[in-house]
Amino acid sequence: MNFRNGFFAGLVVALIVGIYFVRLWQPDRQVTLHAAHLLSHIENKDWTAVSDAIADDYQDRWGNDRALVLERLREVFRAMPSARIAAGDPAVQAESGKGNWVAKVTITGTGEFAAVIEERVNALPAPFEMEWRRRSAKPWDWKLVRVENPALEISGL
């Protein structure tokens, strides 16, 4: 192998890696990946990772801010030790540093309140909507700023 062949081989590898990163860092792809990772982190009760995915200015229609939504997630999933979260065929749209992820979410699991939680969430006719915002020029720096489901009513709020 001479220098010329090595140079061209390196160039081809660099091109393949470059194409991979360009595709990976597309806004739609990043929103899809961040939403999937968030649901996985909630399912695995990795609260540090969940906290890292939620923006400091998070707000939703139920009156939750970042701290309150983290506290409530911990409470709900403490009652479901073996929870599984599935999102069916998400629709993703992202542009200008904002992304929307929309999908029907179902929860299954065991625990003292599992049946109640499953019934409330799985019977919702409307899909969940997650709004994501890119926080910097870094293509992977997306944070959750809002969750919405018009059909979900949370009592006691």
Side-chain angles (χ1 to χ4, degrees):
M1 179 175 234
N2 60 28
F3 175 76
R4 182 177 170 195
N5 290 342
F7 175 77
F8 284 120
L11 191 61
V12 168
V13 169
L15 182 64
I16 291 169
V17 169
I19 291 170
Y20 170 77
F21 282 121
V22 166
R23 288 182 49 89
L24 175 67
W25 290 335
Q26 291 297 312
D28 288 356
R29 179 83 171 133
Q30 284 296 299
V31 170
T32 300
L33 288 171
H34 278 74
H37 290 152
L38 175 65
L39 294 177
S40 175
H41 294 319
I42 292 170
E43 196 175 273
N44 296 320
K45 298 168 185 62
D46 184 353
W47 303 120
T48 302
V50 172
S51 176
D52 290 344
I54 299 174
D56 291 335
D57 60 342
Y58 175 91
Q59 291 290 319
D60 60 36
R61 75 177 191 95
W62 302 288
N64 295 314
D65 60 7
R66 182 175 184 270
L68 191 53
V69 79
L70 287 167
E71 178 184 324
R72 289 184 173 164
L73 281 170
R74 284 185 187 108
E75 287 177 20
V76 167
F77 285 93
R78 186 177 304 129
M80 289 184 77
S82 63
R84 293 284 167 241
I85 304 171
D89 196 26
V92 178
Q93 184 178 17
E95 58 185 65
S96 303
K98 293 182 181 180
N100 287 317
W101 178 96
V102 180
K104 174 81 171 141
V105 173
T106 57
I107 298 177
T108 57
T110 60
E112 58 184 305
F113 297 113
V116 174
I117 295 167
E118 287 177 18
E119 181 181 321
R120 294 254 338 251
V121 173
N122 298 348
L124 293 171
F128 279 87
E129 302 173 25
M130 291 186 206
E131 182 180 322
W132 296 84
R133 194 165 300 134
R134 194 165 83 194
R135 293 303 203 181
S136 69
K138 299 172 190 167
W140 58 83
D141 190 17
W142 290 82
K143 299 288 183 184
L144 180 68
V145 294
R146 185 179 64 84
V147 172
E148 179 73 30
N149 189 315
L152 180 61
E153 292 299 325
I154 300 176
S155 60
L157 297 180

